[in-house]
Amino acid sequence: MFELSQLRFFLAVATELNFSRAAKRLNMTQPPLSRQIQLLEHQLGVELFERTTRTVVLTAAGRRFFIEAQDLLQRAHVAMLNTQKMSQGNIGSVNISFVASAVYAFLPMVVARGKEIYPHIDISLREMTTGEQFEALRLRQSDIGLVRAPSALTGVNSEILVNEPFVLAVPRQHELATLSDITITHLDKQPFIMYALSTWQPFYELLTGMFRSNNIQPDYVQYIGSTLTILSLVNAGMGMAFVPESAARILFDDIVYRHITLPAGIESLLYLAWREDNDNPAFKVMLELIKLSLAPKMK
């Protein structure tokens, strides 16, 4: 099989149609160039040039090979550049999993910025619960997870990415919607929509624990696994609910969002999770991009 260097030698001779000028162009002497062309012709089993003492002319096979050789060298050059870009993380693919509430503000901003800075990185998104994400990370089906709990898995790192308060979503017709200073004592015996334990364990345990420790007993009318569905039920007047502040970007006609002072530590935490042994270069640049993009939102 011929080598790429032989293709370069051939193209130089085919362009110059003169061995002496081609050798000078290649910064080599004429005899080794002639030997390389002869070797290439032997490997191909065809004559590429018709030679006389005065002229060098491409044969029909040579003219065809001229086109093929240019294409092969171009593809080799592109392969080299793409390999270099991939090793630097500028090309490739990355899989990002996320909890639903991450899309309201954080994830769209990161994806848009990622596509702008790294247009040749394919970003695949998949919505999952926190538990499903840790399993996907363990099985290497996800590169980066946006989860609601820290990692307890060996080899999977996590750190707090966003720390935001909860806001109270209140039906517009409810009497609390008109109060300017709401406390958690106002929620006692009130109809309340809570995050489901099966899909939102961190929020469920945090909020129900807060109510118990303060002797507040809301009337839990529904346990729901989707922030959007919770807000839809609030909008229908079925009860009120705590949601992350970023969810207040979702506007409903009959919901009023109220800030409320909660005990210390009662906050909505979004964690970044990843395998420490992930050697995907695209993952590494996207991980840093996420950290830098959301750093101002961290407390």
Short mmCIF file of all heavy atoms in Angstrom, two decimals, residues 87-140:
data_model
loop_
_atom_site.label_atom_id
_atom_site.label_comp_id
_atom_site.label_asym_id
_atom_site.label_seq_id
_atom_site.Cartn_x
_atom_site.Cartn_y
_atom_site.Cartn_z
N SER A 87 -9.24 15.85 20.73
CA SER A 87 -8.38 15.72 21.91
C SER A 87 -8.42 16.96 22.76
O SER A 87 -8.20 16.92 23.97
CB SER A 87 -6.94 15.43 21.49
OG SER A 87 -6.36 16.56 20.86
N GLN A 88 -8.75 18.11 22.14
CA GLN A 88 -8.84 19.36 22.87
C GLN A 88 -10.27 19.61 23.37
O GLN A 88 -10.51 20.60 24.07
CB GLN A 88 -8.41 20.52 21.97
CG GLN A 88 -6.96 20.42 21.51
CD GLN A 88 -6.65 21.34 20.34
OE1 GLN A 88 -7.53 22.04 19.83
NE2 GLN A 88 -5.40 21.33 19.90
N GLY A 89 -11.20 18.74 22.98
CA GLY A 89 -12.59 18.90 23.41
C GLY A 89 -13.40 19.83 22.54
O GLY A 89 -14.51 20.21 22.90
N ASN A 90 -12.87 20.23 21.38
CA ASN A 90 -13.58 21.17 20.52
C ASN A 90 -14.51 20.50 19.53
O ASN A 90 -15.21 21.16 18.78
CB ASN A 90 -12.56 22.03 19.74
CG ASN A 90 -11.74 22.89 20.67
OD1 ASN A 90 -12.23 23.36 21.69
ND2 ASN A 90 -10.49 23.10 20.32
N ILE A 91 -14.50 19.17 19.51
CA ILE A 91 -15.38 18.42 18.62
C ILE A 91 -15.74 17.12 19.34
O ILE A 91 -14.95 16.62 20.14
CB ILE A 91 -14.70 18.15 17.27
CG1 ILE A 91 -15.70 17.60 16.25
CG2 ILE A 91 -13.52 17.21 17.41
CD1 ILE A 91 -15.14 17.53 14.84
N GLY A 92 -16.92 16.61 19.09
CA GLY A 92 -17.33 15.37 19.75
C GLY A 92 -18.78 15.45 20.19
O GLY A 92 -19.59 16.17 19.60
N SER A 93 -19.11 14.72 21.24
CA SER A 93 -20.48 14.71 21.74
C SER A 93 -20.48 14.57 23.26
O SER A 93 -19.53 14.03 23.84
CB SER A 93 -21.29 13.56 21.12
OG SER A 93 -20.71 12.31 21.46
N VAL A 94 -21.53 15.07 23.89
CA VAL A 94 -21.66 14.97 25.34
C VAL A 94 -23.13 14.77 25.68
O VAL A 94 -24.02 15.37 25.06
CB VAL A 94 -21.10 16.24 26.03
CG1 VAL A 94 -21.86 17.48 25.61
CG2 VAL A 94 -21.12 16.10 27.54
N ASN A 95 -23.39 13.87 26.62
CA ASN A 95 -24.76 13.58 27.06
C ASN A 95 -25.00 14.23 28.42
O ASN A 95 -24.26 13.98 29.37
CB ASN A 95 -24.96 12.06 27.18
CG ASN A 95 -24.82 11.36 25.85
OD1 ASN A 95 -25.42 11.76 24.86
ND2 ASN A 95 -24.01 10.31 25.81
N ILE A 96 -26.02 15.07 28.48
CA ILE A 96 -26.36 15.76 29.72
C ILE A 96 -27.75 15.33 30.15
O ILE A 96 -28.72 15.45 29.39
CB ILE A 96 -26.33 17.29 29.53
CG1 ILE A 96 -24.94 17.75 29.08
CG2 ILE A 96 -26.73 18.00 30.83
CD1 ILE A 96 -24.85 19.25 28.81
N SER A 97 -27.86 14.82 31.37
CA SER A 97 -29.17 14.48 31.94
C SER A 97 -29.53 15.56 32.96
O SER A 97 -28.67 16.24 33.49
CB SER A 97 -29.13 13.10 32.59
OG SER A 97 -28.12 13.04 33.59
N PHE A 98 -30.82 15.70 33.23
CA PHE A 98 -31.25 16.81 34.08
C PHE A 98 -32.60 16.53 34.71
O PHE A 98 -33.42 15.79 34.16
CB PHE A 98 -31.33 18.11 33.27
CG PHE A 98 -32.32 18.05 32.13
CD1 PHE A 98 -33.62 18.51 32.30
CD2 PHE A 98 -31.96 17.52 30.91
CE1 PHE A 98 -34.54 18.45 31.26
CE2 PHE A 98 -32.87 17.45 29.86
CZ PHE A 98 -34.16 17.92 30.04
N VAL A 99 -32.81 17.13 35.89
CA VAL A 99 -34.14 17.13 36.48
C VAL A 99 -34.96 18.20 35.79
O VAL A 99 -34.43 19.19 35.29
CB VAL A 99 -34.08 17.39 38.00
CG1 VAL A 99 -33.46 16.22 38.73
CG2 VAL A 99 -33.32 18.68 38.32
N ALA A 100 -36.27 18.03 35.78
CA ALA A 100 -37.13 18.88 34.97
C ALA A 100 -36.97 20.36 35.29
O ALA A 100 -36.93 21.20 34.39
CB ALA A 100 -38.59 18.46 35.16
N SER A 101 -36.86 20.71 36.56
CA SER A 101 -36.82 22.12 36.92
C SER A 101 -35.55 22.82 36.45
O SER A 101 -35.48 24.05 36.45
CB SER A 101 -36.95 22.29 38.44
OG SER A 101 -35.96 21.54 39.12
N ALA A 102 -34.53 22.06 36.02
CA ALA A 102 -33.29 22.68 35.56
C ALA A 102 -33.47 23.39 34.23
O ALA A 102 -32.67 24.24 33.86
CB ALA A 102 -32.19 21.63 35.43
N VAL A 103 -34.53 23.04 33.49
CA VAL A 103 -34.72 23.66 32.18
C VAL A 103 -35.29 25.07 32.26
O VAL A 103 -35.23 25.81 31.30
CB VAL A 103 -35.64 22.82 31.27
CG1 VAL A 103 -34.94 21.74 30.57
CG2 VAL A 103 -36.81 22.29 32.02
N TYR A 104 -35.86 25.45 33.38
CA TYR A 104 -36.55 26.72 33.43
C TYR A 104 -35.61 27.90 33.22
O TYR A 104 -35.98 28.91 32.64
CB TYR A 104 -37.29 26.87 34.76
CG TYR A 104 -38.31 25.78 34.99
CD1 TYR A 104 -38.50 25.24 36.25
CD2 TYR A 104 -39.07 25.28 33.94
CE1 TYR A 104 -39.41 24.22 36.47
CE2 TYR A 104 -39.98 24.26 34.15
CZ TYR A 104 -40.15 23.74 35.42
OH TYR A 104 -41.05 22.72 35.62
N ALA A 105 -34.40 27.82 33.70
CA ALA A 105 -33.49 28.95 33.56
C ALA A 105 -32.08 28.52 33.21
O ALA A 105 -31.47 29.07 32.30
CB ALA A 105 -33.48 29.76 34.86
N PHE A 106 -31.56 27.51 33.88
CA PHE A 106 -30.14 27.23 33.81
C PHE A 106 -29.73 26.49 32.54
O PHE A 106 -28.83 26.92 31.82
CB PHE A 106 -29.72 26.40 35.04
CG PHE A 106 -30.27 26.94 36.32
CD1 PHE A 106 -30.95 26.13 37.20
CD2 PHE A 106 -30.13 28.28 36.65
CE1 PHE A 106 -31.48 26.62 38.38
CE2 PHE A 106 -30.65 28.79 37.83
CZ PHE A 106 -31.32 27.96 38.70
N LEU A 107 -30.38 25.38 32.26
CA LEU A 107 -29.95 24.53 31.17
C LEU A 107 -30.05 25.19 29.79
O LEU A 107 -29.12 25.09 29.00
CB LEU A 107 -30.73 23.21 31.18
CG LEU A 107 -30.14 22.08 30.35
CD1 LEU A 107 -28.71 21.78 30.76
CD2 LEU A 107 -30.99 20.83 30.50
N PRO A 108 -31.15 25.87 29.46
CA PRO A 108 -31.20 26.52 28.14
C PRO A 108 -30.05 27.51 27.95
O PRO A 108 -29.49 27.60 26.85
CB PRO A 108 -32.56 27.24 28.16
CG PRO A 108 -33.38 26.46 29.12
CD PRO A 108 -32.42 26.03 30.19
N MET A 109 -29.70 28.25 28.98
CA MET A 109 -28.62 29.21 28.88
C MET A 109 -27.30 28.51 28.59
O MET A 109 -26.51 28.93 27.74
CB MET A 109 -28.50 30.01 30.18
CG MET A 109 -27.33 30.99 30.21
SD MET A 109 -27.18 31.79 31.82
CE MET A 109 -26.72 30.39 32.85
N VAL A 110 -27.05 27.40 29.30
CA VAL A 110 -25.80 26.67 29.14
C VAL A 110 -25.71 26.05 27.74
O VAL A 110 -24.67 26.12 27.08
CB VAL A 110 -25.67 25.57 30.21
CG1 VAL A 110 -24.51 24.64 29.90
CG2 VAL A 110 -25.47 26.21 31.57
N VAL A 111 -26.79 25.42 27.29
CA VAL A 111 -26.79 24.78 25.98
C VAL A 111 -26.57 25.81 24.88
O VAL A 111 -25.78 25.60 23.95
CB VAL A 111 -28.09 23.99 25.74
CG1 VAL A 111 -28.17 23.49 24.30
CG2 VAL A 111 -28.18 22.82 26.71
N ALA A 112 -27.25 26.94 24.96
CA ALA A 112 -27.09 27.99 23.96
C ALA A 112 -25.66 28.50 23.92
O ALA A 112 -25.08 28.70 22.85
CB ALA A 112 -28.06 29.14 24.24
N ARG A 113 -25.08 28.70 25.09
CA ARG A 113 -23.70 29.18 25.15
C ARG A 113 -22.74 28.11 24.64
O ARG A 113 -21.77 28.42 23.95
CB ARG A 113 -23.34 29.58 26.57
CG ARG A 113 -21.99 30.27 26.68
CD ARG A 113 -21.76 30.83 28.06
NE ARG A 113 -20.48 31.52 28.14
CZ ARG A 113 -19.97 32.04 29.24
NH1 ARG A 113 -20.63 31.95 30.37
NH2 ARG A 113 -18.79 32.64 29.21
N GLY A 114 -23.02 26.85 24.97
CA GLY A 114 -22.17 25.76 24.51
C GLY A 114 -22.17 25.65 23.00
O GLY A 114 -21.12 25.45 22.38
N LYS A 115 -23.35 25.76 22.37
CA LYS A 115 -23.42 25.67 20.92
C LYS A 115 -22.74 26.86 20.25
O LYS A 115 -22.22 26.75 19.14
CB LYS A 115 -24.88 25.60 20.47
CG LYS A 115 -25.61 24.34 20.92
CD LYS A 115 -24.90 23.08 20.46
CE LYS A 115 -24.94 22.90 18.96
NZ LYS A 115 -24.30 21.63 18.53
N GLU A 116 -22.73 28.00 20.93
CA GLU A 116 -22.07 29.18 20.37
C GLU A 116 -20.55 29.04 20.42
O GLU A 116 -19.85 29.36 19.46
CB GLU A 116 -22.51 30.43 21.15
CG GLU A 116 -21.84 31.71 20.69
CD GLU A 116 -22.24 32.91 21.53
OE1 GLU A 116 -23.09 32.77 22.42
OE2 GLU A 116 -21.68 34.00 21.29
N ILE A 117 -20.03 28.57 21.56
CA ILE A 117 -18.59 28.48 21.74
C ILE A 117 -18.02 27.23 21.08
O ILE A 117 -16.93 27.25 20.50
CB ILE A 117 -18.23 28.50 23.23
CG1 ILE A 117 -18.73 29.81 23.88
CG2 ILE A 117 -16.73 28.35 23.45
CD1 ILE A 117 -18.53 29.86 25.37
N TYR A 118 -18.76 26.11 21.17
CA TYR A 118 -18.30 24.84 20.63
C TYR A 118 -19.32 24.30 19.63
O TYR A 118 -20.06 23.35 19.93
CB TYR A 118 -18.07 23.82 21.75
CG TYR A 118 -17.11 24.29 22.81
CD1 TYR A 118 -17.56 24.66 24.07
CD2 TYR A 118 -15.75 24.36 22.55
CE1 TYR A 118 -16.68 25.09 25.05
CE2 TYR A 118 -14.86 24.79 23.52
CZ TYR A 118 -15.33 25.16 24.76
OH TYR A 118 -14.44 25.58 25.72
N PRO A 119 -19.40 24.90 18.44
CA PRO A 119 -20.44 24.50 17.49
C PRO A 119 -20.30 23.07 16.99
O PRO A 119 -21.26 22.51 16.45
CB PRO A 119 -20.25 25.51 16.34
CG PRO A 119 -18.83 25.97 16.46
CD PRO A 119 -18.54 25.97 17.93
N HIS A 120 -19.14 22.45 17.16
CA HIS A 120 -18.94 21.09 16.65
C HIS A 120 -19.09 20.03 17.75
O HIS A 120 -18.76 18.86 17.52
CB HIS A 120 -17.56 20.99 16.00
CG HIS A 120 -17.38 21.91 14.83
ND1 HIS A 120 -18.14 21.81 13.68
CD2 HIS A 120 -16.57 22.98 14.65
CE1 HIS A 120 -17.78 22.75 12.83
NE2 HIS A 120 -16.84 23.47 13.39
N ILE A 121 -19.57 20.43 18.91
CA ILE A 121 -19.89 19.46 19.95
C ILE A 121 -21.40 19.21 19.93
O ILE A 121 -22.18 20.15 20.05
CB ILE A 121 -19.45 19.96 21.34
CG1 ILE A 121 -17.93 20.02 21.43
CG2 ILE A 121 -19.99 19.03 22.43
CD1 ILE A 121 -17.42 20.48 22.79
N ASP A 122 -21.78 17.96 19.75
CA ASP A 122 -23.20 17.60 19.78
C ASP A 122 -23.62 17.40 21.24
O ASP A 122 -23.02 16.61 21.97
CB ASP A 122 -23.44 16.31 19.00
CG ASP A 122 -23.21 16.48 17.51
OD1 ASP A 122 -23.52 17.57 17.00
OD2 ASP A 122 -22.71 15.54 16.87
N ILE A 123 -24.64 18.15 21.66
CA ILE A 123 -25.13 18.08 23.04
C ILE A 123 -26.47 17.34 23.03
O ILE A 123 -27.44 17.80 22.43
CB ILE A 123 -25.29 19.48 23.64
CG1 ILE A 123 -23.97 20.24 23.60
CG2 ILE A 123 -25.81 19.39 25.07
CD1 ILE A 123 -24.07 21.69 24.05
N SER A 124 -26.50 16.19 23.70
CA SER A 124 -27.74 15.42 23.80
C SER A 124 -28.31 15.60 25.21
O SER A 124 -27.59 15.47 26.20
CB SER A 124 -27.46 13.93 23.55
OG SER A 124 -26.99 13.73 22.23
N LEU A 125 -29.60 15.91 25.28
CA LEU A 125 -30.26 16.17 26.56
C LEU A 125 -31.29 15.07 26.85
O LEU A 125 -31.98 14.59 25.95
CB LEU A 125 -30.97 17.52 26.52
CG LEU A 125 -30.10 18.75 26.23
CD1 LEU A 125 -30.95 20.00 26.13
CD2 LEU A 125 -29.04 18.92 27.30
N ARG A 126 -31.38 14.71 28.13
CA ARG A 126 -32.37 13.72 28.53
C ARG A 126 -32.88 14.03 29.93
O ARG A 126 -32.10 14.16 30.87
CB ARG A 126 -31.75 12.32 28.50
CG ARG A 126 -32.77 11.21 28.76
CD ARG A 126 -32.13 9.85 28.67
NE ARG A 126 -33.09 8.78 28.99
CZ ARG A 126 -32.76 7.51 29.13
NH1 ARG A 126 -31.51 7.13 28.95
NH2 ARG A 126 -33.69 6.61 29.43
N GLU A 127 -34.19 14.17 30.07
CA GLU A 127 -34.79 14.45 31.37
C GLU A 127 -34.90 13.16 32.18
O GLU A 127 -35.40 12.14 31.67
CB GLU A 127 -36.16 15.08 31.19
CG GLU A 127 -36.85 15.43 32.49
CD GLU A 127 -38.22 16.06 32.28
OE1 GLU A 127 -38.44 16.66 31.21
OE2 GLU A 127 -39.06 15.94 33.19
N MET A 128 -34.43 13.19 33.42
CA MET A 128 -34.48 12.03 34.31
C MET A 128 -34.67 12.48 35.74
O MET A 128 -34.38 13.64 36.07
CB MET A 128 -33.16 11.22 34.25
CG MET A 128 -32.77 10.63 32.94
SD MET A 128 -31.20 9.73 33.13
CE MET A 128 -30.94 9.15 31.47
N THR A 129 -35.12 11.57 36.58
CA THR A 129 -35.13 11.85 38.00
C THR A 129 -33.69 11.78 38.52
O THR A 129 -32.78 11.28 37.84
CB THR A 129 -35.98 10.82 38.77
OG1 THR A 129 -35.35 9.53 38.67
CG2 THR A 129 -37.40 10.76 38.23
N THR A 130 -33.49 12.26 39.73
CA THR A 130 -32.14 12.23 40.31
C THR A 130 -31.61 10.80 40.40
O THR A 130 -30.46 10.53 40.04
CB THR A 130 -32.16 12.89 41.70
OG1 THR A 130 -32.38 14.29 41.54
CG2 THR A 130 -30.83 12.68 42.42
N GLY A 131 -32.44 9.86 40.87
CA GLY A 131 -32.01 8.47 40.98
C GLY A 131 -31.66 7.87 39.63
O GLY A 131 -30.67 7.14 39.51
N GLU A 132 -32.46 8.14 38.62
CA GLU A 132 -32.19 7.63 37.28
C GLU A 132 -30.88 8.19 36.74
O GLU A 132 -30.13 7.49 36.04
CB GLU A 132 -33.34 7.99 36.34
CG GLU A 132 -34.62 7.22 36.62
CD GLU A 132 -35.80 7.76 35.83
OE1 GLU A 132 -35.74 8.93 35.36
OE2 GLU A 132 -36.79 7.02 35.68
N GLN A 133 -30.59 9.44 37.07
CA GLN A 133 -29.35 10.05 36.59
C GLN A 133 -28.12 9.40 37.19
O GLN A 133 -27.12 9.17 36.49
CB GLN A 133 -29.35 11.55 36.89
CG GLN A 133 -30.33 12.34 36.05
CD GLN A 133 -30.11 13.83 36.21
OE1 GLN A 133 -29.09 14.36 35.81
NE2 GLN A 133 -31.08 14.50 36.82
N PHE A 134 -28.16 9.12 38.47
CA PHE A 134 -27.00 8.47 39.10
C PHE A 134 -26.77 7.08 38.49
O PHE A 134 -25.63 6.65 38.31
CB PHE A 134 -27.19 8.38 40.61
CG PHE A 134 -26.90 9.68 41.32
CD1 PHE A 134 -27.83 10.23 42.20
CD2 PHE A 134 -25.72 10.37 41.10
CE1 PHE A 134 -27.58 11.42 42.85
CE2 PHE A 134 -25.46 11.56 41.74
CZ PHE A 134 -26.38 12.09 42.62
N GLU A 135 -27.85 6.38 38.16
CA GLU A 135 -27.70 5.08 37.52
C GLU A 135 -27.11 5.25 36.11
O GLU A 135 -26.26 4.46 35.68
CB GLU A 135 -29.07 4.38 37.44
CG GLU A 135 -29.05 3.00 36.79
CD GLU A 135 -28.26 1.97 37.57
OE1 GLU A 135 -27.81 2.27 38.71
OE2 GLU A 135 -28.08 0.85 37.05
N ALA A 136 -27.56 6.29 35.39
CA ALA A 136 -27.03 6.54 34.05
C ALA A 136 -25.55 6.91 34.10
O ALA A 136 -24.77 6.50 33.24
CB ALA A 136 -27.82 7.65 33.37
N LEU A 137 -25.15 7.66 35.12
CA LEU A 137 -23.74 7.99 35.29
C LEU A 137 -22.94 6.73 35.60
O LEU A 137 -21.83 6.53 35.07
CB LEU A 137 -23.57 9.02 36.41
CG LEU A 137 -24.00 10.45 36.09
CD1 LEU A 137 -24.07 11.28 37.36
CD2 LEU A 137 -23.05 11.10 35.09
N ARG A 138 -23.49 5.88 36.44
CA ARG A 138 -22.79 4.64 36.81
C ARG A 138 -22.57 3.76 35.58
O ARG A 138 -21.51 3.16 35.42
CB ARG A 138 -23.59 3.88 37.86
CG ARG A 138 -22.89 2.66 38.43
CD ARG A 138 -23.77 1.90 39.40
NE ARG A 138 -24.87 1.24 38.74
CZ ARG A 138 -24.77 0.05 38.13
NH1 ARG A 138 -23.61 -0.59 38.11
NH2 ARG A 138 -25.83 -0.51 37.56
N LEU A 139 -23.56 3.73 34.70
CA LEU A 139 -23.48 2.89 33.50
C LEU A 139 -22.82 3.61 32.32
O LEU A 139 -22.79 3.08 31.22
CB LEU A 139 -24.89 2.45 33.10
CG LEU A 139 -25.62 1.56 34.11
CD1 LEU A 139 -27.05 1.29 33.64
CD2 LEU A 139 -24.87 0.25 34.33
N ARG A 140 -22.33 4.82 32.55
CA ARG A 140 -21.68 5.64 31.51
C ARG A 140 -22.64 6.00 30.38
O ARG A 140 -22.22 6.19 29.23
CB ARG A 140 -20.44 4.93 30.95
CG ARG A 140 -19.38 4.63 31.99
CD ARG A 140 -18.16 3.95 31.37
NE ARG A 140 -17.20 3.57 32.39
CZ ARG A 140 -16.24 4.37 32.87
NH1 ARG A 140 -16.13 5.61 32.40
NH2 ARG A 140 -15.39 3.94 33.79
#
